[in-house]
Amino acid sequence: QQQVKQSPQSLIVQKGGISIINCAYENTAFDYFPWYQQFPGKGPALLIAIRPDVSEKKEGRFTISFNKSAKQFSLHIMDSQPGDSATYFCAANIQGAQKLVFGQGTRLTINP
Amino acid sequence: NAGVTQTPKFQVLKTGQSMTLQCAQDMNHEYMSWYRQDPGMGLRLIHYSVGAGITDQGEVPNGYNVSRSTTEDFPLRLLSAAPSQTSVYFCASSLRGLTGELFFGEGSRLTVL
């Protein structure tokens, strides 16, 4: 199964709050898990990525938490800002393949 | 560097017409790919290429053709457009395949009537 399931579909957070987006997968052959950020009218851009040999990766206000046994990973945005309002996609790549599978996307709105 | 350039940005077709979406990158990336984005379905891989002369199918290849005669260009051809192909199409490239960063173009919005 090559699916990545992402939730929630949409999320509204107050400025300064924590935004949390979750993804789950079935295929244990996935070996690379990036998150992409997309603003309206633009293409997605890489935000942060993790490999399954670490449980957490932090870059500034953005953190990926990875739970290999549960086959789940999540994006946390600390101190969320209106400029973070965008659509976020999780993704996963099968080891040895060249096919990045994307989640359905989460539209995040940060209210000022 | 211009990055990944897609043309046209907008296109309206009638059912049965054919067209080519152009994609060019100036970063000397070996890996290039085409995705389509539909509401609630994320991005789905159509075709990809790991180098000039090499292409392969992704998740949703039916109705689309690709070729890769140069490192820079990776056009996507719609042979006989159908309303189900109404979508936003993204071209993306990467230096080191999918374990590296994918750079996306700004998209081509296609409507098939």
Side-chain angles (χ1 to χ4, degrees):
Chain A
Q1 188 73 3
Q2 297 191 16
Q3 275 190 323
V4 177
K5 295 183 179 179
Q6 183 173 345
S7 62
Q9 197 169 5
S10 63
L11 179 63
I12 299 174
V13 175
Q14 292 299 117
K15 179 183 174 182
I18 302 174
S19 303
I20 302 174
I21 303 171
N22 299 300
C23 286
Y25 63 96
E26 291 293 328
N27 192 333
T28 56
F30 287 141
D31 70 341
Y32 173 68
F33 301 88
W35 284 87
Y36 281 80
Q37 179 189 55
Q38 183 183 30
F39 293 106
K42 301 294 185 181
L46 180 66
L47 185 63
I48 187 173
I50 197 169
R51 296 190 185 277
D53 52 349
V54 298
S55 60
E56 186 176 281
K57 182 174 182 180
K58 184 175 182 179
E59 290 185 0
R61 296 184 295 109
F62 300 91
T63 300
I64 300 178
S65 297
F66 187 82
N67 186 330
K68 189 173 182 179
S69 60
K71 290 185 281 187
Q72 295 176 346
F73 58 111
S74 59
L75 176 69
H76 291 63
I77 306 174
M78 311 300 287
D79 186 27
S80 299
Q81 299 297 311
D84 298 329
S85 296
T87 299
Y88 292 80
F89 293 96
C90 61
N93 180 57
I94 296 176
Q95 186 177 16
Q98 296 291 339
K99 301 181 180 181
L100 200 60
V101 179
F102 282 84
Q104 295 84 351
T106 296
R107 177 173 287 185
L108 174 65
T109 302
I110 308 299
N111 283 335
Chain B
N1 286 350
V4 178
T5 302
Q6 290 183 234
T7 56
K9 291 192 186 303
F10 301 95
Q11 183 73 47
V12 178
L13 288 178
K14 294 181 180 178
T15 296
Q17 287 185 317
S18 62
M19 77 156 299
T20 299
L21 298 177
Q22 301 291 345
C23 176
Q25 53 89 11
D26 61 357
M27 299 174 282
N28 201 31
H29 285 174
E30 289 296 323
Y31 180 89
M32 296 187 73
S33 55
W34 277 101
Y35 287 85
R36 59 177 289 173
Q37 183 175 14
D38 302 291
M41 303 191 74
L43 294 121
R44 292 180 292 167
L45 181 65
I46 304 172
H47 285 284
Y48 67 97
S49 168
V50 297
I54 306 169
T55 63
D56 205 347
Q57 296 182 350
E59 217 179 326
V60 288
N62 292 342
Y64 307 95
N65 271 0
V66 293
S67 60
R68 184 96 179 270
S69 56
T70 67
T71 299
E72 295 78 19
D73 300 299
F74 191 44
L76 178 72
R77 297 182 187 85
L78 281 72
L79 308 173
S80 177
S84 61
Q85 294 179 304
T86 293
S87 187
V88 181
Y89 292 85
F90 287 97
C91 179
S93 72
S94 174
L95 180 63
R96 295 185 288 124
L98 286 178
T99 54
E101 180 176 357
L102 262 184
F103 291 85
F104 283 82
E106 295 205 333
S108 297
R109 183 176 292 274
L110 175 66
T111 301
V112 182
L113 302 175

